[in-house]
Amino acid sequence: MAKEQLTEYILDNQQKFYRIAYCYVKDKDRALDIVQNMTCKVFEKQHTLKNKNAIKTWVYRILINECLDTVRREKREYPMEQAKLPEEIYIERAYEKEDTVTRCLEQLPENIRVVLQLRYYEELSLKEIAAITDTNLSTVKTRLYNGLEKLKILLKEGGYER
C-alpha cells in the first residue's frame, strides 16, 4: 500500500482513533500518545499489510492492541508522585462520564466492552470486530448479545428504563 494512501486513511480517521483510545484510558494526553504510537507502528509495519482491503481492520487491531498494552502497563506502574500530589483531572467534554450508558459500559468485562464500543460507537461490522479482536465471529456475536443483556440489566438497576 502506498504511504500516501495510508497517511490519508489515518488523517481521515484520527478522531475515531482518539475516541477509542480515550474510552480506554480516560485521559487526553495518554489517548493522544496511544494514537501517536499506533501511527508509528502502522508505518513501521506497513510492509506486513498484504491486503489493501483490510486496512481498516489492520489499523484498528494495532490501535486496540496499543490501548490494551497501555492499560496493562499502567496497571503495573504506581508512580509515587501521582499518589501524593492531587492533580486537576482533564475531562474531555465530548466523552464525559455523565453519560449513563458509558458508566454502565465501564462495569462490563473488557472483552465485552470492546465489542460493544466497536459495534455501536465506531459502527463496525461483526466481521470487522472479529478480525480486529482476533476472535471467532460466533464469539463476537455471543459477546455482543451477552453485553447488551448485561447493559440492559445495569440500566434497569440504575433506574434508567424506558
Side-chain angles (χ1 to χ4, degrees), residues 13-38 60 62-68 70-71 74 92 95 113 117-118 121-122:
N13 293 285
Q14 62 186 344
Q15 286 298 89
K16 288 181 179 184
F17 301 147
Y18 172 77
R19 185 173 51 236
I20 288 176
Y22 190 86
C23 285
Y24 275 91
V25 295
K26 310 292 187 277
D27 180 76
K28 174 187 174 189
D29 294 327
R30 291 188 337 224
L32 290 171
D33 287 343
I34 288 171
V35 173
Q36 182 178 9
N37 291 344
M38 180 237 18
Y60 271 100
I62 292 171
L63 175 64
I64 297 296
N65 287 337
E66 189 63 33
C67 290
L68 294 173
T70 299
V71 170
E74 288 173 356
E92 188 72 32
Y95 312 110
R113 186 175 62 241
Q117 287 173 334
L118 290 174
Y121 289 174
E122 300 305 317

Side-chain angles (χ1 to χ4, degrees), residues 80-137:
M80 294 305 292
E81 301 85 36
Q82 286 184 354
K84 293 179 184 176
L85 301 174
E87 192 176 306
E88 281 189 42
I89 297 175
Y90 173 85
I91 297 175
E92 188 72 32
R93 296 289 171 223
Y95 312 110
E96 272 187 14
K97 290 186 179 181
E98 292 175 10
D99 180 15
T100 306
V101 175
T102 303
R103 275 188 271 133
C104 290
L105 267 175
E106 290 175 357
Q107 296 177 40
L108 297 175
E110 186 176 295
N111 59 355
I112 292 174
R113 186 175 62 241
V114 168
V115 170
L116 290 171
Q117 287 173 334
L118 290 174
R119 178 71 181 124
Y120 294 106
Y121 289 174
E122 300 305 317
E123 299 177 354
L124 298 177
S125 71
L126 295 178
K127 221 178 217 182
E128 290 172 320
I129 296 169
I132 290 167
T133 59
D134 197 24
T135 309
N136 189 328
L137 180 60

